[in-house]
Amino acid sequence: MDNTKNKVIITVVGKDTVGIIAKVCTYLSQGSVNVLDIVSGYFNMMMIVDMANATASFAEISDQLDALGEEIGVTIKCQKEEIFEMMHRI
């Protein structure tokens, strides 16, 4: 099985506040999505997650994270890894 098909890049961008990482990670863990890596900055977080065991579809998770982002004042976007890789090739 090709593991890269389950990987999704999630980016969170917005004003830094306490609890952003906790809220996003809590949402993902409740849906059985495994966080593989977090890269953070001011406030810019990029996560690589594995959705192989996710309890919802990519589209549902993407829509729900978009709504969560609005709720906590940041922008959250999801991209399948293969699309992200194609967009960032030199």
Side-chain angles (χ1 to χ4, degrees), residues 21-37:
I21 292 172
K23 287 178 183 173
V24 175
C25 289
T26 296
Y27 167 81
L28 292 170
S29 70
Q30 289 171 343
S32 297
V33 176
N34 185 35
V35 176
L36 301 175
D37 196 7

Side-chain angles (χ1 to χ4, degrees), residues 40-72:
S40 65
Y42 172 80
F43 186 81
N44 184 3
M45 176 174 67
M46 180 181 284
M47 310 169 83
I48 301 171
V49 302
D50 183 350
M51 294 185 55
N53 297 315
T55 58
S57 71
F58 170 79
E60 291 169 320
I61 288 172
S62 181
D63 289 346
Q64 291 171 359
L65 282 172
D66 188 45
L68 177 62
E70 286 184 32
E71 178 185 318
I72 62 177

Side-chain angles (χ1 to χ4, degrees), residues 10 14 17 27 31 45 78 88:
I10 298 174
T17 59
Y27 167 81
M45 176 174 67
C78 295
H88 294 89

